[in-house]
Amino acid sequence: MTCARTIIGNYIKQSLDFLAWNEGWRGSDVSEDILIRLKAAVVKYDVEQAVALAKEVLATGFDPLKAIEEGLGEGLRVIGEQFEAGEVFLPMLMIAAQAMKESLVILEPALTKGTSRKVLGRVVIGTVEGDIHDIGKSIVAAMLTANGFAVYDLGSDTPTAKFIEKAREVDADLVGMSALLTTTMTKMAEVVDALKQAGLRGKVKVLIGGAPVSKAWAEKIGADAYAEDAIAAVDAAKKLLSK
Ligand code: HCB
């Protein structure tokens, strides 16, 4: 009898523990689950699933920037590491990037929704010459737009002269540059020098970013700031233009 009571008691306790755990999981953060699924979609090169999840992000009111940076972006980071280790090859890297890009088409308009009418400054932004990576640069451009900057996006593989020409044309306050390759980050120094030579450096601030870039690199080439992500880029732009 005592034995039967112990077995039933244990069974009830385990069931209650399970219910508490299940409730805790559901209550704690169903939303975090979408980050895991977004990351997995990129890591599995599943473009369709990534797009479906991007739509789910909007439908559920989940933070689109968090979805981009902590979901899709994390997936790309993993693929990048696998690529570096020789575990995946370029075509797979391209499909993973496609999953991110197609999802961005859906998520980016949600980033720029809160655009304020007062323009905080004019920003010319682009990925430097020889570099076709444009995902991070586009996120930064969208976030700057959302935060009230007028953004002129030159795209990727942007010749140095194009930065200068556009900065002059729109009377820019800030030039933002992105580089993802160690072989192209030197182009950032070229743009800083060209701005000086064009007599624009007194007025135009320079902000840089991208995986191989750092604060030390910004200091070395005479840029005004380095930003590690889109939120830091907005903060830096606001600080630089309020000086
Ligand atoms: Co590419 N690739 N890739 N790639 N790629 C990297 C960059 C490597 C690090 C991968 C690796 O080996 N681990 C590597 C570079 C190694 C190096 O130089 N040390 C590399 C290589 C080698 C190459 C090729 C040369 C491969 C080849 O052809 N053999 C080739 C480059 C060709 C060229 O440009 N001439 C190549 C091609 C590609 C694609 C086309 C397949 C694709 C790009 C698609 C596209 O952008 N349209 C791609 C991708 C996706 C990557 C990885 C996996 C992800 C990059 C990415 O989009 N990250 C990357 C690995 C990695 O970076 N860890 C890999 C997500 C975004 C959100 O992060 O850092 O770009 P982000 O941006 C952040 C942040 O840096 C900051 O804010 C953003 C938002 O948070 N930020 C700024 C960015 N720009 C800013 C500007 C500012 O003013 C301020 C802040």
Side-chain angles (χ1 to χ4, degrees):
M1 188 62 181
T2 322
C3 181
R5 236 188 247 144
T6 311
I7 292 169
I8 292 168
N10 280 346
Y11 174 76
I12 292 171
K13 185 180 177 306
Q14 277 169 14
S15 303
L16 287 174
D17 283 350
F18 173 76
L19 283 175
W21 170 82
N22 189 38
E23 198 46 45
W25 177 79
R26 286 198 291 143
S28 72
D29 235 333
V30 178
S31 58
E32 295 305 313
D33 165 64
I34 201 156
L35 294 178
I36 295 166
R37 289 189 287 142
L38 282 162
K39 179 179 170 183
V42 175
V43 173
K44 290 180 186 158
Y45 325 108
D46 194 339
V47 181
E48 232 173 79
Q49 173 71 352
V51 168
L53 288 170
K55 289 179 182 161
E56 191 180 322
V57 165
L58 295 189
T60 54
F62 190 75
D63 178 356
L65 184 64
K66 199 169 178 190
I68 292 169
E69 304 235 294
E70 295 175 31
L72 299 162
E74 270 300 299
L76 264 193
R77 199 185 49 74
V78 171
I79 294 290
E81 281 168 11
Q82 292 175 349
F83 178 71
E84 197 170 10
E87 290 161 11
V88 300
F89 300 102
L90 193 59
M92 304 321 279
L93 186 64
M94 288 171 80
I95 302 172
Q98 194 58 23
M100 173 116 187
K101 287 203 88 170
E102 289 195 20
S103 309
L104 280 183
V105 171
I106 292 156
L107 294 172
E108 263 179 13
L111 289 183
T112 48
K113 239 181 188 168
T115 310
S116 69
R117 257 182 242 126
K118 189 173 159 256
V119 173
L120 296 183
R122 284 173 296 277
V123 181
V124 169
I125 193 166
T127 305
V128 296
E129 190 168 12
D131 199 326
I132 62 167
H133 296 88
D134 66 352
I135 295 174
K137 179 270 304 160
S138 302
I139 296 170
V140 172
M143 282 300 288
L144 287 170
T145 305
N147 282 275
F149 292 89
V151 177
Y152 303 86
D153 188 344
L154 301 175
S156 60
D157 189 13
T158 310
T160 296
K162 188 81 200 162
F163 279 103
I164 312 304
E165 190 190 306
K166 197 71 186 175
R168 197 175 263 138
E169 180 194 321
V170 303
D171 191 20
D173 304 295
L174 179 78
V175 164
M177 283 181 275
S178 184
L180 268 287
L181 299 171
T182 42
T183 49
T184 58
M185 58 193 268
T186 49
K187 286 283 170 187
M188 292 175 155
E190 200 178 287
V191 174
V192 174
D193 286 345
L195 282 168
K196 268 186 214 151
Q197 276 167 28
L200 294 172
R201 194 63 184 97
K203 193 218 171 211
V204 181
K205 304 282 183 200
V206 177
L207 169 67
I208 63 167
V213 180
S214 63
K215 191 167 179 277
W217 178 247
E219 279 161 14
K220 185 166 182 192
I221 66 169
D224 297 292
Y226 156 75
E228 65 172 352
D229 60 28
I231 291 180
V234 171
D235 284 349
K238 282 183 178 167
K239 269 192 205 126
L240 289 174
L241 299 195
S242 68
K243 278 180 191 165

